[in-house]
Amino acid sequence: MTLTEDEMTQAQPDATLEIGKDRRRKEDQRLITGRTRWTDNLTLPGMLHLAMVRSPFAHATITNIDKSAAEASPNVVRVITGADVADEQGGLPNAWPITPDQVTPNHPPIAVDRVVFAGEIVAVIVARSAAEARDAAELVDIDYDELPAALDLKEAAEDKVLAHPDLGTNKSAFWRFDSEEAGTGGNVDEAIAKARADGIVIEREYRQQRLIPAFMEPRSTVVDPTGEQITMWSSTQIPHILKFLLAAVTGVSESKIRVIAPDVGGGFGGKLQTTPEEFITFLVARQVGKPVKYTETRSESLMAAHHGRDQWQKLTLAAEKDGTVTGFKVELLADLGSHVSLVGGGVPVLGAFMFNAIYKFPAYQFNCQTVLTNKTWTDAYRGAGRPEATYAIERIMDELAAELGVDPFEVREKNWIKHEEFPFTTVAGLEYDSGNYEAATARAKELFGYDELRAEQKRRRESGDQVQLGIGVSTFTEMCGLAPSRVLGSLDYGAGGWEHASVRMLPTGKVEVLTGASAHGQGHETAFSQIVADRLGVAFEDVEVLHGDTMVSHKGLDTYGSRSLVVGGEAIVKAADKVIEKAKPIAAHLLEASVDDIEFNAGRFSVKGTDQGLAMAEIALATFAAHNLPDGVEPSLDSDATFDPVNFNYPHGTHLCAMEVDTETGEVTMRKYAACDDIGNIINPLIVSGQLHGGLVQGIAQALWEEAVYDDSGTLVTGSFVDYLLPTAADTISFDLDHTTSPATTNTLGTKGVGEAGTIASTPAVVNAVVDAVRHLGVQDVRMPCTPERVWKAINDARGGAQAETVGAAAPHFDESTGMDGTVDRTSGGNA
């Protein structure tokens, strides 16, 4: 591949501008010194505390609740059951019914007569301290009649056991995209049939295991009903959406509700939810007329906060004998858990538009069946549908390369969109506006030392080394900047995707920025300050960013889907530009010039062709004083703006991973990881680096360590960090990262999302590397997480399975297949 110098040139930041600088985050000072504003830090006068009594059963009827002992416990104010509030508690909302006939079970915050997952709330203790509430919770005596539980996803899809017997089925919704029906491509079944006759057909089935977001700060909620408004503080990603839904469900006027998201210790989609605990705390506070707090324990968080992923993916890829893909078909089973959560039903649908990834597939079909089970409900987890899609296509593209006996990059280059073809409308109907996969790949291979590592791999195989080297490739793109309201409306999503911002010019020349994007660790205050500092020509330190409070920033749609910068940031730009336009006639009046002759640059208004001028701060003070304004001009520069993009945006990149695999023990060790991402223009490289490092570790963790496991009765086995394996810094290596730049055309900053990129790209890179290390031994797949046991068993099974029975018996909760049945049908001349 030959690239021009222009294609390989990295955009260099202007040293005089804030954009492009490695600014340390403004937020970090209070975070690292412990002066944080976590919800659980709040203590209000007369505040009461809640503890939740949770079901130990995955599925059972509630036959009796004896709360007398708990009510008699010291300092217990009240014990509330679902029956006590059945008529007023309402049900949790589902904002994304993906089909008109979607089966959606009622979801009361407190179970009334039946529980449908282990961890469901059945009673609430209200006490004067958290410790007394927890003690009293142990005294509630509940009688259950246990029912059969739907736990296995494939069996649930066949309605063998019903998660909700009253519904008559576990099937929630079936959603399909077909390129022929949509007019974006050909007939996929015809493409597969033709490939069976004279080409290559590869069929694989992959498992996306269930994951737990495992944010640093457990969820916490405080509600104060004693003022003119009911104020809720919550560790949430979505204060504005939460406010709206509290009003919609409870009937309380939206103007009487204020929601504040103070410092929020991570979310990863896990706090993109309106939770039973939030509705319960709101309800109890109104009932008792006092402030009320609930903070979950870590075990409650792992058990009852929503989970992510959990899919079976059946894939069929058709190709010509030279590796040109002619069709791709996806059949998906997605586990919703016990309920259809806020947007959980739509998460797999987001993935539908990404299974084709960076490739020019002529025919494509996506089929998704969402299924109810008796497990914790699922919803968005970092990447939300796109990591699942990227994993599937990048795994099967490696399978195609293996069948052809060529380097994995050869089939990718043969099928990917060339940089000169942008903008490009994909077979899934999306228009990719910009990109350069060739440049990102060339840089990633250079960082990685690709050719040298391939040569080392060859030597190890030829020598029969016990420790084999595998190289994994992942070339990805994603649709992010979740926003275009018309697109979301076409998918029956319950809200828009716009974002709102206000820019206030203070008389002293300082600036306040109000944004509807609510931060939970991303660095909004720093990046938005850099944007405004450049736009208005003020000092970075003179910009204050306010967010997360629906009274302060009264409009917004919050933070998820890598939308903060590309949607929220653009709204800030538009508001700042309005400030400049409002200031121009005032500047012209004060400078005794025509508005048409006024120029604005680097924070100063000047008259063309002269040295006459006034700084923005001078205009701000003159506007505040209002002593000498043009007739009809109001004394305010403050401006609002709302931005609703016309398209998503599409970061992309190439990630490479080298894994060493001990073929005798199954131990896997990461040797090297290099990546080159293209996220458009970069506001703050330091923040971007942090986002990528964090995302990489989360994606690698899915590949190697994390899995939410239930036993045969529906109890979460991995209910603590003893069993749910999160990596630490000691478990990872240093990553080699770089970027290329293809500016987005959908916003004036030219930026693309980065918050989910690392997670999306890294998982298939790691698993491809593990499989590549042992493919020559006959291994086609290792089911995630690629534990030493699973890797060893896959190798042993490929060698004939002499010892597989013994090892399999030693770990019963890992008894599902280590790899999926995979067949390659390579025939020609009409032979089936």
Side-chain angles (χ1 to χ4, degrees):
M1 183 185 339
T2 302
L3 302 174
T4 67
E5 287 188 14
D6 287 343
E7 289 169 333
M8 293 298 295
T9 297
Q10 307 300 305
Q12 297 299 322
D14 185 334
T16 65
L17 298 177
E18 281 295 330
I19 289 178
K21 281 187 181 177
D22 277 332
R23 279 281 190 182
R24 291 186 177 182
R25 302 193 316 177
K26 288 184 173 183
E27 304 91 322
D28 287 348
Q29 180 63 26
R30 69 173 183 269
L31 295 175
I32 64 177
T33 57
R35 294 184 292 108
T36 49
R37 301 170 296 191
W38 309 124
T39 302
D40 192 43
N41 289 352
L42 293 171
T43 300
L44 302 178
M47 187 168 70
L48 301 174
H49 297 262
L50 302 185
M52 306 299 171
V53 181
R54 298 181 183 273
S55 168
F57 297 108
H59 196 194
T61 55
I62 302 169
T63 59
N64 185 60
I65 299 179
D66 182 353
K67 55 185 182 177
S68 56
E71 289 174 324
S73 189
N75 286 317
V76 169
V77 175
R78 190 171 298 185
V79 179
I80 301 170
T81 67
D84 296 334
V85 293
D87 295 333
E88 57 185 304
Q89 68 173 330
L92 270 71
N94 166 236
W96 196 351
I98 61 173
T99 63
D101 60 351
Q102 175 179 283
V103 174
T104 308
N106 181 45
H107 190 177
I110 309 174
V112 178
D113 52 18
R114 187 164 57 91
V115 293
V116 290
F117 75 99
E120 186 165 11
I121 298 167
V122 293
V124 180
I125 309 296
V126 188
R128 301 195 186 282
S129 74
E132 289 166 324
R134 288 193 295 268
D135 288 344
E138 300 290 333
L139 302 176
V140 178
D141 187 12
I142 305 175
D143 294 327
Y144 299 92
D145 281 344
E146 191 172 2
L147 299 170
L151 300 171
D152 180 270
L153 176 54
K154 287 186 175 181
E155 291 182 358
E158 297 174 1
D159 289 337
K160 290 186 176 180
V161 176
L162 295 180
H164 296 266
D166 54 309
L167 299 179
T169 182
N170 294 324
K171 299 181 182 69
S172 178
F174 178 79
W175 194 92
R176 167 179 285 175
F177 177 89
D178 184 275
S179 62
E180 185 179 41
E181 294 173 2
T184 58
N187 184 297
V188 74
D189 290 323
E190 290 178 1
I192 293 169
K194 185 177 185 301
R196 289 195 193 281
D198 188 20
I200 303 169
V201 174
I202 299 179
E203 296 175 293
R204 292 289 185 272
E205 191 172 11
Y206 297 128
R207 180 73 165 118
Q208 281 280 327
Q209 77 269 39
R210 178 176 282 245
L211 301 176
I212 302 175
F215 28 73
M216 183 180 292
E217 176 208 15
R219 298 173 304 165
S220 182
T221 303
V222 174
V223 176
D224 182 1
T226 60
E228 292 297 316
Q229 290 180 307
I230 303 173
T231 301
M232 172 183 282
W233 293 262
S234 185
S235 178
T236 180
Q237 297 176 221
I238 52 169
H240 295 91
I241 294 172
L242 176 56
K243 174 187 175 182
F244 166 74
L245 291 175
L246 282 169
V249 170
T250 66
V252 176
S253 171
E254 193 175 352
S255 66
K256 294 297 183 182
I257 300 173
R258 178 185 184 185
V259 175
I260 302 171
D263 288 326
V264 176
F268 312 122
K271 293 174 183 172
L272 170 59
Q273 194 65 257
T274 51
T275 69
E277 293 85 355
E278 287 166 331
F279 282 96
I280 289 168
T281 309
F282 190 85
L283 172 67
V284 172
R286 292 178 65 206
Q287 284 192 349
V288 302
K290 293 183 177 182
V292 175
K293 177 193 284 188
Y294 170 73
T295 301
E296 68 185 2
T297 65
R298 180 60 69 184
S299 60
E300 285 181 299
S301 179
L302 294 175
M303 175 172 58
H306 80 246
H307 295 171
R309 312 283 194 258
D310 207 345
Q311 298 178 358
W312 280 108
Q313 303 170 319
K314 184 178 179 183
L315 314 170
T316 306
L317 184 136
E320 296 175 359
K321 291 179 182 179
D322 67 352
T324 301
V325 175
T326 56
F328 190 41
K329 186 174 186 178
V330 178
E331 296 168 272
L332 201 69
L333 281 181
D335 191 344
L336 300 181
S338 58
H339 291 95
V340 189
S341 60
L342 188 64
V343 297
V347 167
V349 171
L350 282 178
F353 301 99
M354 285 286 101
F355 274 88
N356 54 286
I358 66 172
Y359 304 114
K360 297 183 288 189
F361 295 166
Y364 169 64
Q365 187 183 89
F366 172 89
N367 305 275
C368 176
Q369 178 67 63
T370 58
V371 179
L372 297 162
T373 63
N374 294 118
K375 297 181 182 179
T376 302
W377 61 92
T378 59
D379 207 306
Y381 173 56
R382 197 169 189 170
R386 287 99 78 204
E388 297 93 310
T390 300
Y391 180 84
I393 185 58
E394 289 303 289
R395 287 287 294 112
I396 205 165
M397 289 300 279
D398 255 32
E399 295 299 298
L400 176 58
E403 169 61 16
L404 292 169
V406 300
D407 186 277
F409 276 117
E410 186 172 327
V411 293
R412 287 169 168 83
E413 290 181 34
K414 183 178 289 291
N415 290 283
W416 71 29
I417 304 159
K418 305 298 188 293
H419 71 275
E420 65 270 14
E421 295 178 292
F422 288 96
F424 185 90
T425 300
T426 74
V427 73
L430 297 181
E431 183 181 279
Y432 295 176
D433 64 322
S434 68
N436 191 327
Y437 309 142
E438 301 98 312
T441 297
R443 181 61 183 135
K445 291 173 77 173
E446 180 184 357
L447 279 173
F448 191 65
Y450 187 79
D451 293 338
E452 294 85 350
L453 284 168
R454 281 291 184 201
E456 180 184 342
Q457 178 188 52
K458 184 171 184 270
R459 290 194 300 270
R460 288 199 190 191
R461 288 193 178 177
E462 289 172 349
S463 67
D465 197 327
Q466 177 177 317
V467 178
Q468 289 289 309
L469 180 67
I471 296 171
V473 175
S474 175
T475 50
F476 85 103
T477 189
E478 61 156 323
M479 53 182 283
C480 67
L482 191 65
S485 295
R486 290 185 179 182
V487 176
L488 295 177
S490 71
L491 296 172
D492 299 314
Y493 184 74
W498 50 264
E499 195 48 80
H500 182 77
S502 300
V503 174
R504 298 172 178 166
M505 281 303 309
L506 304 180
T508 57
K510 314 298 187 194
V511 183
E512 286 181 343
V513 178
L514 283 66
T515 174
S518 176
H520 46 280
Q522 294 88 340
H524 289 181
E525 294 174 32
T526 304
F528 291 165
S529 292
Q530 290 177 270
I531 292 170
V532 172
D534 280 354
R535 212 73 181 187
L536 297 181
V538 299
F540 169 79
E541 294 77 11
D542 289 346
V543 182
E544 184 78 15
V545 177
L546 306 175
H547 60 87
D549 183 336
T550 61
M551 179 175 281
V552 175
S553 176
H554 66 286
K555 290 177 68 175
L557 285 172
D558 307 317
T559 297
Y560 40 85
S562 299
R563 69 190 302 273
S564 297
L565 178 60
V566 298
V567 187
E570 188 67 12
I572 290 171
V573 167
K574 289 183 174 297
D577 287 348
K578 287 183 178 181
V579 169
I580 296 169
E581 291 305 309
K582 290 177 78 169
K584 276 185 177 179
I586 299 172
H589 179 75
L590 295 174
L591 293 169
E592 299 180 344
S594 166
V595 172
D596 294 336
D597 290 331
I598 296 296
E599 296 178 322
F600 180 74
N601 183 50
R604 185 173 177 82
F605 295 90
S606 59
V607 181
K608 292 178 184 177
T610 75
D611 58 1
Q612 292 181 284
L614 293 168
M616 175 64 85
E618 294 176 285
I619 302 296
L621 183 58
T623 304
F624 170 73
H627 295 161
N628 185 20
L629 298 181
D631 293 342
V633 173
E634 63 181 11
S636 174
L637 300 179
D638 299 349
S639 298
D640 295 348
T642 300
F643 178 61
D644 193 350
V646 297
N647 193 4
F648 302 102
N649 72 66
Y650 304 94
H652 69 83
T654 297
H655 288 227
L656 294 166
C657 177
M659 297 292 296
E660 292 182 332
V661 177
D662 189 318
T663 58
E664 296 301 319
T665 67
E667 182 182 6
V668 296
T669 305
M670 187 172 290
R671 164 86 171 272
K672 189 164 188 175
Y673 196 103
C676 182
D677 287 273
D678 189 327
I679 55 169
N681 294 331
I682 293 175
I683 304 299
N684 185 318
L686 192 62
I687 289 177
V688 165
S689 180
Q691 288 280 4
L692 284 170
H693 278 80
L696 287 174
V697 173
Q698 260 178 308
I700 292 166
Q702 176 175 8
L704 298 180
W705 296 296
E706 293 186 38
E707 182 175 25
V709 178
Y710 287 83
D711 65 17
D712 291 342
S713 66
T715 300
L716 183 67
V717 175
T718 52
S720 77
F721 286 153
V722 173
D723 300 295
Y724 189 81
L725 302 182
L726 289 181
T728 68
D731 299 305
T732 60
I733 64 172
S734 294
F735 309 124
D736 297 312
L737 306 181
D738 203 349
H739 69 277
T740 51
T741 303
S742 301
T745 63
T746 54
N747 62 77
T748 60
L749 292 168
T751 57
K752 301 179 182 181
V754 70
E756 296 160 304
T759 304
I760 291 169
S762 58
T763 309
V766 174
V767 177
N768 277 343
V770 171
V771 174
D772 185 59
V774 293
R775 186 183 293 279
H776 65 293
L777 302 177
V779 176
Q780 288 185 335
D781 189 35
V782 180
R783 190 167 71 83
M784 296 186 292
C786 299
T787 62
E789 179 191 25
R790 286 182 175 172
V791 174
W792 182 90
K793 191 172 186 296
I795 295 169
N796 191 59
D797 287 349
R799 287 171 169 169
Q803 303 171 56
E805 253 183 58
T806 305
V807 175
H813 66 276
F814 286 145
D815 61 358
E816 291 186 49
S817 172
T818 57
M820 306 321 306
D821 291 336
T823 59
V824 177
D825 179 4
R826 182 177 184 157
T827 54
S828 61
N831 295 319

